[in-house]
């Protein structure tokens, strides 16, 4: 049997790391003075483990809402005698100056900081402590790191430090003291998003040995300084940098370049011409990767269609449909043509191409641009959405993994969350389901719930709810049961007015509680019974809400009590009066009240002249087949089972109600197919061996007769399992049992 997509299990290292991080105090740590988290004295962690711990910690913080960030976590790695860090990747605002300071004694080789906007110039001082070992450094999107915090003096104690951490970096307090002087081993540097006030030429001057440089979004008024690396630079990224003739001429002189990215997302006065592209190809003979995405070609760079080489699409440079690339000595490993007309030609001399012509190009674009270019990734994901919706996605595993990665990476990027959640809806539907492993589908559920938690915006919530509908409920959602229900119940809060989403949310809540144990139902009741109850006032969501409440109260006395405490009976009467013709509504409401009536301690609250009269009147209902009448009779069967002493009212008379119940039961067709699902017969079986209310016994026997005769394969085993045979035999022995009741009992025993 072939493995399903994404079926490879996590490595033991990954599982162990995640377990330790979720259980720090049970594994490697203890609480010291002042509840400070400390590493145990007998623990020594080599770099392979330390790196994994820190990087997995960051991943869990951003992708798992159940994972709580640990105050002082980075201090665990402050002592070189017990820990060794070499390669660290930190991202987003969670990272503070003090976190970097905590690991300042480590001999870091690689430090990647991405969108760490809480870092200030204090962290530049920490960076200097890594200057003798650092080989690779990224400060991408760390827009405040070159500024001091509001002009504050250096912190003197912990209170001052905490106050300084909360103070935003001031754009007026530029730090002019930092220098890369002494970073002699540094080879790879990413300064994407460097503020305009910082002079890149002066900043980079002490780094003559760089081999890789990313200056995405950085303004370069004097481009000539790049020539200092013409004998060494192998990779240069100038994404969204305003190109000029001087800059292009300088770049062409960097003869050792193997990767060049001059792509852009925003419009530019600069136009890419055939001449410029030819100069790049001819000048950079070692090039294996080129990205010119987003550029408008000023003149015709492509071979006319009638003159193109015949045959299947080829990556041979000599057959290239793009004239300048015919000069290549060999095909490029990567060619970025996203958002250009060039991606549509037939022959492209590259193994991997980004573009929008086909699924492969779109997936390549998502893969290439997700980490640092969410503005491009979200466009590509939107194109994948169209492919999955209109055409067919042939690379399902890759598509799902890329969308999941994008949603994890850009949890706070609304555009990515909107397009990603929409794409997941189509990528997880029935057409693709058989190819997906449980592990992969769980990853989808995780990122969908992340999106629901982060964004209350209507589109994201709708996309996420619809995507959850593609899963087997409750089975596939049970591993996140509490979290799913909390998010769905939040949608039902009064302030949320979008009824289309609320209908989906109630449907999901209903499905979630339909087939789970009582413990789960009680948990849902405690989390949001009131939210569901409030929604029963809303015409559009009402039937779904009563259905969900019916399921939540099934064999769950605490939830039945909650229903009564929340003025549920008044609501029942209001809905009955306001919507006299809604058959499914009546069935759902009486089904719920049947659950309440099964709880002996709660039955006295139903035993009022008003309620009994309403139940008695509904015995005559023909709504929804026999269901409304059947459920009303079920409620009354449990009430009259408590005997004449409990009745305690003059009108209506108990005997009159019981006569009406018997008449209703005799009017039902015993071969009726039912819109009901019993998980247990216990509430019915308890009504069998008794003589205090023969009509209750008659109703219970009729119910069993109907169910085992119409659905024998489903309900006969249940009847035997729960001891129903012995109880039916007792019905035959009782002199008070009606003959009709005994006849049905005999039929039940023959199945």
């Amino acid at each position: 049997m072939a493995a399903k997509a994404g079926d490879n299990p996590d490595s033991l290292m990954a599982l162990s790391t995640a377990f330790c991080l979720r259980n720090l105090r049970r594994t490697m740590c203890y609480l010291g003075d002042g509840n400070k988290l400390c590493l145990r004295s007998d623990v020594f962690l080599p770099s392979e483990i330390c790196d994994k711990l820190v990087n997995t910690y960051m991943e869990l913080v951003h992708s798992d809402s159940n994972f709580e960030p640990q105050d002082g976590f980075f201090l665990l790695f402050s002592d070189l005698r017990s820990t060794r860090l070499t390669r660290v990747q930190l991202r987003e605002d969670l990272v503070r100056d003090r976190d970097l300071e905590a690991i300042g004694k480590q001999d870091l080789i690689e430090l990647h900081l991405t969108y760490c906007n809480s870092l200030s110039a204090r962290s530049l001082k920490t960076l200097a402590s890594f200057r003798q070992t650092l080989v690779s450094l990224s400060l991408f999107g760390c827009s405040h790191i070159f500024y001091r915090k509001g002009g504050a003096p250096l912190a003197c104690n912990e209170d001052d430090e905490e106050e300084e951490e909360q103070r935003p970096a001031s754009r007026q307090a530029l730090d002019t003291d930092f220098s890369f002087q002494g970073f002699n081993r540094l080879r790879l540097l990413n300064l994407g998003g460097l503020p305009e006030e910082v002079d890149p030429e002066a900043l980079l001057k002490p780094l003559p040995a760089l081999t890789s440089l990313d200056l995405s979004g950085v303004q370069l008024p004097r481009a000539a300084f790049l020539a200092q690396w013409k004998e060494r630079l192998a990779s240069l990224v100038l994404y969204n940098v305003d190109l000029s003739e001087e800059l292009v001429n300088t770049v062409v002189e960097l003869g050792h370049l193997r990767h060049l990215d001059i792509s852009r997302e925003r419009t530019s006065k600069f136009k890419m011409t055939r001449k410029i592209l030819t100069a790049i190809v001819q000048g950079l003979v070692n090039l294996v990767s080129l990205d010119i995405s987003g550029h408008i070609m000023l003149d015709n760079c492509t071979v006319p269609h009638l003159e193109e080489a015949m045959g299947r699409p080829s990556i041979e440079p000599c057959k290239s449909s793009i004239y300048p690339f015919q000069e290549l000595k060999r095909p490029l490993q990567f060619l970025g043509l996203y958002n250009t007309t060039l991606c549509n030609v037939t022959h492209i001399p590259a193994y991997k191409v980004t573009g929008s012509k086909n699924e492969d190009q779109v997936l390549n674009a998502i893969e290439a641009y997700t980490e640092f270019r969410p503005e491009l990734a979200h466009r590509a994901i939107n194109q994948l959405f169209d492919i999955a919706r209109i055409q067919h996605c042939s690379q399902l595993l890759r598509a799902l993994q890329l969308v999941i990665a994008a949603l994890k990476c850009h949890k706070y990027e609304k555009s990515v969350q909107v397009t990603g959640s929409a794409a997941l809806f189509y990528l997880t539907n029935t057409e693709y389901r058989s190819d997906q492993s449980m592990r992969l589908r769980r990853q989808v559920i995780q990122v969908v719930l992340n999106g629901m938690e982060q964004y209350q915006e209507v589109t994201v919530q709708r996309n996420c709810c619809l995507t959850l509908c593609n899963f087997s409920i409750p089975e596939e959602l049970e591993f996140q049961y509490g979290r799913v229900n909390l998010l769905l119940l939040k949608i039902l809060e009064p302030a949320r007015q979008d009824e289309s989403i609320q209908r989906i949310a109630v449907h999901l809540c209903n499905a979630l509680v339909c087939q789970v144990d009582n413990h789960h139902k009680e948990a849902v009741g405690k989390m949001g019974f009131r939210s569901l109850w409030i929604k029963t006032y809303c015409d559009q969501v009402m039937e779904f809400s009563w259905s969900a409440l019916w399921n939540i109260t099934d064999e769950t006395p605490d939830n039945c009590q909650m229903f009564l405490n929340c003025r549920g009976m008044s609501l029942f009467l209001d809905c009955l009066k306001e919507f006299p013709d809604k058959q499914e509504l009546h069935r759902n409401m009486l089904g719920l009240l049947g659950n309440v009536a099964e709880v002996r301690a709660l039955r006295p609250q139903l035993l009022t002249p008003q309620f009994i009269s309403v139940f008695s009147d509904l015995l005559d209902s023909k709504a929804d087949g026999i269901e409304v009448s059947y459920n009303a009779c079920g409620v009354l069967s449990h009430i009259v089972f408590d005997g004449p002493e409990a009745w305690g009212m003059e009108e209506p008379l108990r005997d009159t109600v019981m006569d009406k119940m018997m008449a209703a039961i005799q009017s039902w067709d015993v071969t009726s197919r039912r819109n009901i699902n019993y998980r247990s017969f216990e509430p019915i079986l308890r009504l069998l061996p008794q003589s205090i209310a023969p009509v209750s016994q008659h109703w219970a026997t009729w119910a069993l007769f109907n169910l085992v005769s119409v659905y024998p394969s489903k309900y006969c085993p249940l009847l035997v399992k729960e001891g129903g045979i012995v109880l039916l035999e007792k019905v035959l022995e009782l002199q008070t049992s009606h003959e009709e009741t005994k006849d049905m009992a005999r039929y039940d025993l023959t199945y």
Side-chain angles (χ1 to χ4, degrees):
M1 182 182 294
K4 289 187 177 182
D7 227 358
N8 294 331
D10 288 326
S11 68
L12 182 58
M13 177 69 164
L15 293 171
S16 302
T17 303
F19 178 83
C20 289
L21 288 169
R22 295 179 192 278
N23 302 275
L24 283 172
R25 276 181 277 175
R26 291 169 52 196
T27 53
M28 61 182 73
C29 299
Y30 68 95
L31 282 182
D33 296 338
N35 284 332
K36 179 182 176 184
L37 197 65
C38 302
L39 203 62
R40 283 171 31 189
S41 59
D42 58 345
V43 171
F44 174 78
L45 302 173
S47 62
E48 294 84 358
I49 293 178
C50 287
D51 293 350
K52 188 74 173 176
L53 282 168
V54 171
N55 296 330
T56 303
Y57 174 82
M58 294 305 299
E59 184 179 336
L60 288 172
V61 164
H62 289 107
S63 64
D64 188 344
S65 65
N66 294 322
F67 185 80
E68 288 291 330
Q70 292 283 337
D71 191 36
F73 172 77
F74 290 93
L75 285 170
L76 298 177
F77 305 91
S78 60
D79 192 345
L80 290 178
R81 292 171 297 181
S82 53
T83 59
R84 288 282 194 276
L85 277 171
T86 55
R87 292 176 170 82
V88 175
Q89 299 178 16
L90 311 176
R91 61 183 300 123
E92 311 292 353
D93 296 351
L94 176 79
V95 184
R96 305 295 183 89
D97 290 322
R98 62 186 176 193
D99 297 326
L100 272 190
E101 288 169 353
I103 62 174
K105 295 179 181 178
Q106 296 286 350
D107 296 329
L108 292 187
I109 295 173
E110 180 181 298
L111 175 61
H112 287 185
L113 305 173
T114 307
Y115 300 118
C116 297
N117 288 317
S118 294
L119 298 181
S120 71
R122 265 178 65 185
S123 289
L124 291 180
K125 294 180 173 61
T126 306
L127 283 183
S129 66
F130 306 131
R131 62 182 178 274
Q132 293 182 356
T133 58
L134 211 55
V135 175
S136 177
L137 172 66
S138 173
L139 301 178
F140 185 87
C142 301
S143 57
H144 298 148
I145 198 168
F146 289 94
Y147 299 90
R148 292 191 292 275
K149 296 268 188 181
L154 291 177
C156 299
N157 55 51
E158 287 190 10
D159 291 337
D160 291 340
E161 183 178 320
E162 186 67 32
E163 183 180 341
E164 185 181 347
E165 287 279 8
Q166 301 303 322
R167 189 182 293 114
S170 168
R171 279 292 187 180
Q172 284 70 46
L174 182 69
D175 186 288
T176 57
D177 298 331
F178 178 75
S179 169
F180 278 117
Q181 193 70 44
F183 284 72
N184 298 324
R185 298 189 63 192
L186 194 61
R187 297 294 182 270
L188 293 83
L189 179 61
N190 186 337
L191 293 177
L194 188 72
E196 290 183 16
E197 295 88 342
V198 180
D199 181 359
E201 182 176 354
L203 186 65
L204 294 168
K205 190 174 182 179
L207 299 172
L210 285 181
T211 60
S212 176
L213 179 61
D214 189 329
L215 295 174
S216 296
V218 178
Q219 299 310 308
L220 303 176
R222 301 179 304 278
F225 80 94
L226 294 173
Q228 67 179 304
W229 298 292
K230 67 179 181 180
E231 299 300 326
R232 299 188 64 92
L233 205 61
S235 174
L236 178 62
V237 178
L238 300 175
Y239 170 68
N240 266 346
V241 172
D242 290 331
L243 298 183
S244 63
E245 186 176 345
E246 178 196 8
L247 179 52
V248 171
N249 290 338
T250 303
V251 167
V252 171
E253 292 179 14
L254 304 176
H256 288 269
L257 277 184
R258 294 174 58 79
H259 169 66
L260 174 64
D261 185 342
I262 51 174
S263 63
R264 59 185 310 100
E265 180 264 339
R266 50 180 181 245
T267 56
S268 170
K269 296 178 182 178
F270 183 85
K271 306 299 180 184
M272 182 67 68
T273 65
R274 177 174 169 180
K275 179 181 178 182
I276 292 173
L277 202 50
T278 301
I280 291 172
V281 172
Q282 291 177 341
L284 304 177
V285 295
N286 295 307
L287 213 58
V288 296
S289 171
L290 175 65
D291 200 332
I292 56 171
S293 297
H295 280 286
I296 298 173
M297 311 307 293
L298 190 61
D299 55 5
N300 190 5
C301 276
T302 59
V303 176
H305 183 66
L306 293 176
E307 297 178 19
E308 280 189 311
M310 300 292 289
R312 296 167 59 84
S314 172
I315 63 171
E316 295 180 39
C318 63
K319 293 183 180 180
S320 173
S321 299
I322 304 168
Y323 281 124
F325 295 146
Q326 293 178 357
E327 304 273 344
L328 290 168
K329 298 293 186 291
R330 66 194 71 81
L332 295 171
Q333 296 295 319
F334 174 89
L335 179 57
L337 299 177
Y338 191 73
N339 200 24
T340 72
T341 56
L342 298 181
C343 69
N344 296 311
V345 301
T346 304
H347 306 297
I348 303 176
Y351 292 99
K352 183 174 285 191
V353 179
T354 67
S356 54
K357 179 183 179 181
N358 53 42
E359 180 183 334
D360 202 47
Q361 288 187 3
V362 169
L363 292 177
N364 289 340
I366 299 173
E367 183 177 60
Y369 305 134
T370 285
E371 185 173 9
F372 296 126
R373 302 173 194 178
E375 62 277 8
L376 293 182
H378 103 84
R379 290 186 194 174
I381 294 172
N382 198 44
Q383 288 160 340
L384 175 63
F385 161 80
D386 286 333
I387 291 170
R389 178 173 63 95
I390 301 170
Q391 304 169 32
H392 176 80
C393 181
S394 60
Q395 301 180 57
L396 177 65
L397 173 59
R398 186 182 179 210
L400 272 174
Q401 289 175 332
L402 288 173
V403 174
I404 290 169
L407 289 170
K408 281 184 176 180
C409 187
H410 297 290
K411 184 177 176 181
Y412 307 107
E413 190 74 36
K414 180 182 170 183
S415 62
V416 173
Q417 293 296 320
V418 169
T419 55
S421 57
L424 286 180
F425 170 70
Y426 284 99
L427 291 170
T428 55
N429 67 18
T430 307
E431 179 184 359
Y432 302 110
R433 183 171 181 171
S434 61
D435 298 324
Q436 298 166 13
S437 69
M438 181 178 72
R439 180 169 177 263
L440 188 65
R441 289 175 70 80
R442 282 191 170 191
Q443 289 176 357
V444 172
I445 291 168
Q446 292 274 24
V447 294
V448 164
L449 298 181
N450 288 346
M452 291 178 72
E453 283 172 338
Q454 189 61 37
Y455 291 96
Q456 303 308 309
E457 194 268 340
V458 170
T459 307
V460 174
Q461 293 287 317
R462 182 185 294 111
N463 291 348
C464 291
C465 283
L466 287 172
T467 300
L468 291 177
C469 290
N470 286 336
F471 292 82
S472 296
I473 302 172
E475 295 84 6
E476 289 192 282
L477 300 185
E478 199 158 1
F479 80 106
Q480 291 282 292
Y481 194 84
R483 186 181 175 201
V484 176
N485 275 298
L486 275 175
L487 290 167
L488 293 175
L489 292 168
K490 190 171 184 179
I491 291 173
L492 300 179
E493 290 175 356
R496 305 290 293 273
Q497 297 300 318
D498 192 287
E499 289 184 357
S500 65
I501 300 177
Q502 290 178 338
R503 282 199 298 274
I504 303 169
V506 174
H507 164 74
L508 286 166
C509 278
N510 197 7
L512 279 165
V513 297
C514 195
Q515 298 291 333
V516 294
D517 57 35
N518 293 348
H519 169 73
H520 279 117
K521 290 179 183 179
E522 288 174 1
V524 175
K526 291 173 183 176
M527 282 190 283
F529 197 99
R530 186 170 180 80
S531 293
L532 277 171
W533 173 69
I534 288 169
K535 284 302 152 194
T536 55
Y537 280 115
C538 171
D539 186 16
Q540 296 296 315
V541 189
M542 179 175 52
E543 288 177 19
F544 290 115
S545 297
W546 278 103
S547 178
L549 289 170
W550 183 3
N551 283 316
I552 288 175
T553 53
D554 182 32
E555 298 182 48
T556 316
D558 285 350
N559 287 352
C560 293
Q561 178 70 67
M562 243 185 292
F563 170 78
L564 295 176
N565 293 346
C566 290
R567 295 179 56 251
M569 292 307 296
S570 297
L571 182 60
F572 161 67
L573 296 175
D574 290 345
C575 287
L576 206 59
K577 180 180 178 181
E578 187 70 25
F579 307 102
D581 301 320
K582 279 190 172 288
Q583 299 184 14
E584 286 198 20
L585 170 65
H586 294 180
R587 184 198 72 203
N588 293 342
M589 291 194 297
L590 285 163
L592 182 155
L593 293 176
N595 292 338
V596 176
E598 289 171 7
V599 184
R600 185 185 184 95
L602 301 181
R603 285 200 284 269
Q605 297 185 55
L606 304 180
L607 200 54
T608 70
Q610 182 184 26
F611 295 153
I612 296 299
S613 296
V614 169
F615 299 147
S616 183
D617 290 342
L618 288 169
L619 289 170
D620 298 326
S621 173
K622 304 301 180 186
D624 200 18
I626 69 168
E627 298 301 337
V628 172
S629 178
Y630 172 88
N631 285 341
C633 198
V635 173
L636 290 168
S637 292
H638 288 287
I639 292 173
V640 299
F641 176 60
D642 288 339
E645 300 82 9
W647 195 257
M649 57 184 170
E650 295 182 3
E651 290 291 336
L653 291 173
R654 181 173 180 269
D655 288 344
T656 303
V657 172
M658 290 196 295
D659 288 344
K660 196 169 183 180
M661 290 167 63
M662 182 62 75
I665 296 169
Q666 290 173 337
S667 72
W668 301 339
D669 180 358
V670 77
T671 63
S672 299
R673 300 194 71 80
R674 309 298 305 285
N675 194 356
I676 198 166
N677 180 41
Y678 281 99
R679 293 191 306 122
S680 170
F681 282 152
E682 195 277 330
I684 296 176
L685 295 175
R686 73 172 75 132
L687 299 176
L688 290 179
Q690 50 96 9
S691 57
I692 198 166
V695 70
S696 300
Q697 183 190 67
H698 191 67
W699 174 83
T701 308
W702 188 97
L704 294 174
F705 180 37
N706 167 254
L707 293 168
V708 299
S709 59
V710 178
Y711 308 101
S713 62
K714 180 176 182 180
Y715 288 119
C716 285
L718 185 62
L719 181 65
V720 173
K721 177 185 176 183
E722 297 194 334
I725 302 300
V726 174
L727 296 176
L728 286 167
E729 289 172 344
K730 288 184 179 180
V731 170
L732 296 177
E733 297 171 4
L734 289 170
Q735 293 182 356
T736 54
S737 301
H738 291 287
E739 280 305 314
E740 286 183 59
T741 307
K742 291 182 178 181
D743 288 342
M744 289 189 294
R746 290 188 190 97
Y747 279 117
D748 288 340
L749 290 170
T750 62
Y751 276 95

